[in-house]
Amino acid sequence: MEDKKLNQLLERYFAGESSLEEENQLRTLLQSRDLPEKWLPYQAIFQGLEQEAAITLPSDIEKEILAQIESETAPRIRQITWKPLLRYAAAVAVLLIAITWWTNSLSEPETTAGIDWSKYEPETPEEAAKVYRDAILKLSTALNNGANSAAKNVKRVETVGQFFE
Amino acid sequence: MKKTKLIFWVFTLALLAPLLGYSQSQANVIDKYFQQYVDSEDFTVVYISGKMFEMFGKLDIDKESLSMEDDGDMEAIMDIAKEMKGLRILTTDKNPEKYYKEAKAKINTKEYEVLMTVRSSDGDNVEFLVQENKETKKIAELLLLVGGDEFVLLSFVGNLDMEKIVRLAKELDNN
């Protein structure tokens, strides 16, 4: 009877189907002193397992090991794929060119390709000639004023210079 | 993957498009300083084209019609007209100092060399700027900027001989 029961319990135990209650039963049966000889190897196995389970690590060692495990990070696997990188580099280059142009263009005046100058022309060549005459006279006057002003300043510099001689 | 490529190229073209436009706009370097003023109602704008200057030679414009007293001055003025390809005039008496400063800031000194800056006793600021034609070594554009009671911007475009202009100015000063 005991043999049959032990056999069933062992089968279930090694198949991983035994419940905790069944495992306790098995342990009790294998610990009995009048156990037939054929079951002794199983008794040795269970005693060994019991002894191993009873071993506990000192708490500080356990903590140390756990801390060491936690501090270790999984090795990083780096895979460099050049194609997307080149694409991004090209995009960045284009972006830089555009930004350079844009910042330069801020200091440049606006373009005026669309001006229709013809609507500002005098109707007759005679009128145009008078406008041109006035413009050239204004230019001449300004040039003369500039030249005279420069001449006066040179004289002033010469006069001041005499005091230093 | 195809979609990513398409987005990339669209993005690239979108960024390059203004660059293409920019290079084309460089050809019209004179006009770019004038647009915002030309469109403003505050300004009086006059333009004389190269064709109009060509017509001066064919017309019998005498010194009386131009109220000039001296034949020599008249001839000198018409001689310079032969070298002219365009004249643009912008004037306003509204905020003249503001416009003067603005125009000075806008004109690229890499393209235009400052010939002379004058501050007259009556408070007028005058600046001459020139752009040289590197092939002919003559003046491709002469700009006169005036700021005072009035803002004046004169742009003489052509193949101008600065010596002729200075000589005429001296003659007129002596008269």
Side-chain angles (χ1 to χ4, degrees):
Chain A
M1 183 65 190
E2 290 284 317
D3 275 6
K4 201 180 173 185
K5 179 79 179 166
L6 260 172
N7 205 24
Q8 274 179 351
L9 287 170
L10 278 169
E11 272 181 14
R12 284 184 62 77
Y13 178 79
F14 288 113
E17 294 168 352
S18 57
S19 66
L20 279 173
E21 197 185 332
E22 285 171 330
E23 282 173 27
N24 283 333
Q25 273 185 334
L26 183 62
R27 207 171 284 124
T28 314
L29 287 172
L30 286 172
Q31 279 171 351
S32 64
R33 286 184 182 176
D34 52 349
L35 192 71
E37 201 178 337
K38 65 172 184 178
W39 298 115
L40 287 177
Y42 293 103
Q43 189 185 45
I45 291 169
F46 270 78
Q47 277 173 351
L49 287 173
E50 296 272 307
Q51 281 166 3
E52 271 185 30
I55 296 169
T56 52
L57 282 170
S59 63
D60 53 339
I61 290 178
E62 195 178 335
K63 278 179 189 172
E64 203 176 306
I65 292 167
L66 282 171
Q68 203 175 336
I69 292 166
E70 280 170 8
S71 69
E72 281 176 12
T73 51
R76 287 181 189 173
I77 301 164
R78 289 187 182 181
Q79 278 187 325
I80 300 171
T81 44
W82 290 102
K83 230 176 173 180
L85 280 179
L86 284 172
R87 196 175 295 153
Y88 293 138
V92 168
V94 170
L95 199 64
L96 282 174
I97 292 166
I99 290 168
T100 311
W101 165 79
W102 187 64
T103 48
N104 284 341
S105 68
L106 284 180
S107 59
E108 293 281 337
E110 290 166 56
T111 56
T112 63
I115 297 177
D116 177 15
W117 283 104
S118 64
K119 62 182 179 183
Y120 301 109
E121 271 197 281
E123 286 179 5
T124 64
E126 285 78 11
E127 273 182 62
K130 282 179 185 169
V131 170
Y132 164 64
R133 175 207 59 193
D134 290 345
I136 210 97
L137 289 178
K138 185 143 189 96
L139 179 72
S140 299
T141 310
L143 274 172
N144 288 327
N145 287 344
N148 293 337
S149 168
K152 273 182 197 170
N153 285 331
V154 168
K155 273 189 180 175
R156 267 186 220 154
V157 171
E158 280 174 355
T159 314
V160 174
Q162 284 173 355
F163 293 103
F164 292 95
E165 281 175 0
Chain B
M1 192 66 179
K2 275 183 180 176
K3 205 176 173 184
T4 319
K5 271 188 181 175
L6 186 71
I7 291 167
F8 172 75
W9 286 114
V10 167
F11 185 64
T12 310
L13 282 173
L15 286 170
L16 285 174
L19 293 174
L20 298 171
Y22 176 69
S23 59
Q24 281 169 359
S25 70
Q26 289 297 291
N28 204 346
V29 74
I30 305 156
D31 279 12
K32 67 184 180 179
Y33 299 114
F34 291 81
Q35 182 160 30
Q36 71 183 86
Y37 301 155
V38 171
D39 294 339
S40 168
E41 285 180 3
D42 292 348
F43 282 83
T44 303
V45 184
V46 185
Y47 169 64
I48 300 173
S49 65
K51 282 197 174 178
M52 192 69 96
F53 277 108
E54 282 174 23
M55 285 172 78
F56 289 176
K58 292 168 192 167
L59 291 167
D60 188 22
I61 299 173
D62 54 23
K63 62 178 183 180
E64 281 77 27
S65 64
L66 286 186
S67 311
M68 298 292 291
E69 289 172 6
D70 193 274
D71 281 330
D73 295 344
M74 179 70 197
E75 273 177 35
I77 287 176
M78 284 303 149
D79 193 32
I80 294 168
K82 287 176 193 165
E83 297 169 347
M84 292 286 294
K85 286 179 186 166
L87 170 64
R88 288 167 176 84
I89 303 169
L90 296 169
T91 60
T92 183
D93 52 6
K94 288 179 184 168
N95 299 319
E97 279 305 315
K98 179 201 150 205
Y99 285 121
Y100 176 76
K101 282 179 189 166
E102 209 172 273
K104 266 189 78 169
K106 275 183 171 288
I107 292 169
N108 188 346
T109 47
K110 282 178 191 167
E111 289 179 72
Y112 291 88
E113 190 186 339
V114 178
L115 193 71
M116 188 163 37
T117 304
V118 185
R119 187 176 169 83
S120 67
S121 53
D122 53 358
D124 276 4
N125 288 304
V126 181
E127 189 153 304
F128 295 87
L129 297 114
V130 288
Q131 189 182 45
E132 195 187 59
N133 182 328
K134 283 171 187 169
E135 287 173 18
T136 61
K137 298 288 173 195
K138 287 193 171 183
I139 304 297
E141 189 175 8
L142 170 62
L143 290 177
L144 174 65
L145 266 177
V146 183
D149 296 333
E150 193 184 26
F151 168 78
V152 180
L153 177 50
L154 297 181
S155 161
F156 298 82
V157 177
N159 197 22
L160 308 168
D161 187 341
M162 202 60 207
E163 275 184 33
K164 280 186 189 176
I165 295 169
V166 172
R167 212 181 300 140
L168 172 68
K170 277 185 187 171
E171 284 293 322
L172 290 168
D173 198 32
N174 292 335
N175 295 341

